[in-house]
Amino acid sequence: MIDQHTPARPPAAGHTVLVVEDDASIRTLLTSALGAAGYTVASAADGQEAMFRAGATRPDLIVLDVMLPDTDGFRVIRDLRAQGVYTPVLFLTARSGVEDRIIGLSSGGDDYVTKPFHVQEVLLRIRAILRRGSAPPSATGARPPLRHADLTLDETTREVRRADRLLSLSPTEFRLLACLLAQPERVLEKSEILQQVWRYDFSGDSRIVDTYIKNLRRKIDRDPPALIHTVRGVGYCLRLPRDENRPTAP
């Protein structure tokens, strides 16, 4: 049974959420709860309608059911990402297995809630995702770009470049790279990456970090030298290969 309790204090308004759910009762419950919380809400009952609504409403976040009558949520998010749409996605599904969770998140999803769920939890997860994606600029103005070797990440323009190549990253990939790039040469444990990027520990399962690192490497390290390195049994580090990590003259 789905708990219909909602928080007494609504979050700040101004965001649009697209709810994609084929079960009419769940769709109505979520749209009502989101509306009461101050969000502008659009809805869709299948994958085709979801693609149309995503283009028409340009939502700030999509709540996406995995099991849809005409396709699955994983395919929907892959199609959106292929079109250059990187709207954050919160998956809803009855599949509770770790492998399904990893598939959903590695497809480009930002979070994952299993059914039955508490509406309050869904609202809190949505708020956390939107907060991660809209961090305010520093008090002194625009943040300086993060740089290491020929890699640059600009948190103000949301652009990432490797040499002269502009890279297209999902919101989660962007946060993961920013986490690594903010502390170059330092080995980050997987648990630390989970807390900094996802803000919680996924019940202690760190394979989602491995999956996202693999995706990020395909984009960042397509051209040599490789910058993302594995420290076995510990975590990951962003640095030049040791034999190339020499100081250069100014």
Side-chain angles (χ1 to χ4, degrees), residues 5-227:
H5 176 68
T6 58
R9 292 184 301 169
H15 292 291
T16 298
V17 177
L18 171 61
V19 176
V20 184
E21 168 63 63
D22 65 315
D23 186 310
S25 61
I26 296 177
R27 189 169 65 249
T28 299
L29 171 63
L30 288 173
T31 54
S32 297
L34 286 163
Y39 295 99
T40 300
V41 187
S43 66
D46 56 43
Q48 184 176 358
E49 187 180 6
M51 296 295 292
F52 172 78
R53 293 289 184 191
T57 64
R58 297 188 179 276
D60 298 292
L61 182 140
I62 301 173
V63 178
L64 180 59
D65 186 24
V66 170
M67 303 292 287
L68 297 170
D70 58 343
T71 184
D72 62 63
F74 302 150
R75 176 64 65 93
V76 171
I77 192 171
R78 283 195 294 267
D79 289 346
L80 287 171
R81 299 298 185 243
Q83 294 178 16
V85 178
Y86 292 102
T87 305
V89 170
L90 171 65
F91 277 115
L92 290 179
T93 182
R95 300 176 181 177
S96 58
V98 171
E99 293 300 331
D100 289 318
R101 182 166 49 179
I102 290 174
I103 290 172
L105 293 168
S106 62
S107 297
D110 292 83
D111 209 340
Y112 201 105
V113 174
T114 57
K115 300 174 182 177
F117 56 80
H118 294 265
V119 171
Q120 182 177 11
E121 180 186 6
V122 173
L123 294 178
L124 290 173
R125 296 285 184 100
I126 289 172
R127 194 186 310 180
I129 293 171
L130 292 172
R131 188 166 56 237
R132 291 200 301 259
S134 58
S138 64
T140 57
R143 298 175 180 178
L146 299 173
R147 291 189 174 92
H148 191 70
D150 61 352
L151 180 64
T152 303
L153 180 148
D154 193 321
E155 294 183 287
T156 302
T157 64
R158 309 293 291 183
E159 288 187 347
V160 176
R161 292 182 180 273
R162 180 81 196 265
D164 295 327
R165 182 163 55 94
L166 182 63
L167 307 178
S168 180
L169 304 185
S170 72
T172 303
E173 290 169 346
F174 187 93
R175 290 196 304 275
L176 175 57
L177 181 60
C179 175
L180 295 170
L181 197 50
Q183 305 170 78
E185 307 288 342
R186 178 170 175 257
V187 178
L188 297 178
E189 296 183 8
K190 293 180 183 179
S191 60
E192 187 176 357
I193 294 172
L194 279 167
Q195 291 173 1
Q196 290 190 30
V197 178
W198 284 273
R199 306 299 172 95
Y200 48 89
D201 64 4
F202 279 99
S203 302
D205 193 294
S206 63
R207 284 181 291 175
I208 185 60
V209 177
D210 301 330
T211 300
Y212 263 94
I213 288 287
K214 183 178 179 181
N215 293 344
L216 200 55
R217 274 184 172 139
R218 291 196 189 103
K219 300 178 180 181
I220 300 299
D221 291 339
R222 192 182 77 183
D223 302 317
L227 295 179

Side-chain angles (χ1 to χ4, degrees), residues 219-238:
K219 300 178 180 181
I220 300 299
D221 291 339
R222 192 182 77 183
D223 302 317
L227 295 179
I228 301 175
H229 299 271
T230 302
V231 180
R232 294 191 181 279
V234 183
Y236 297 97
C237 178
L238 190 141

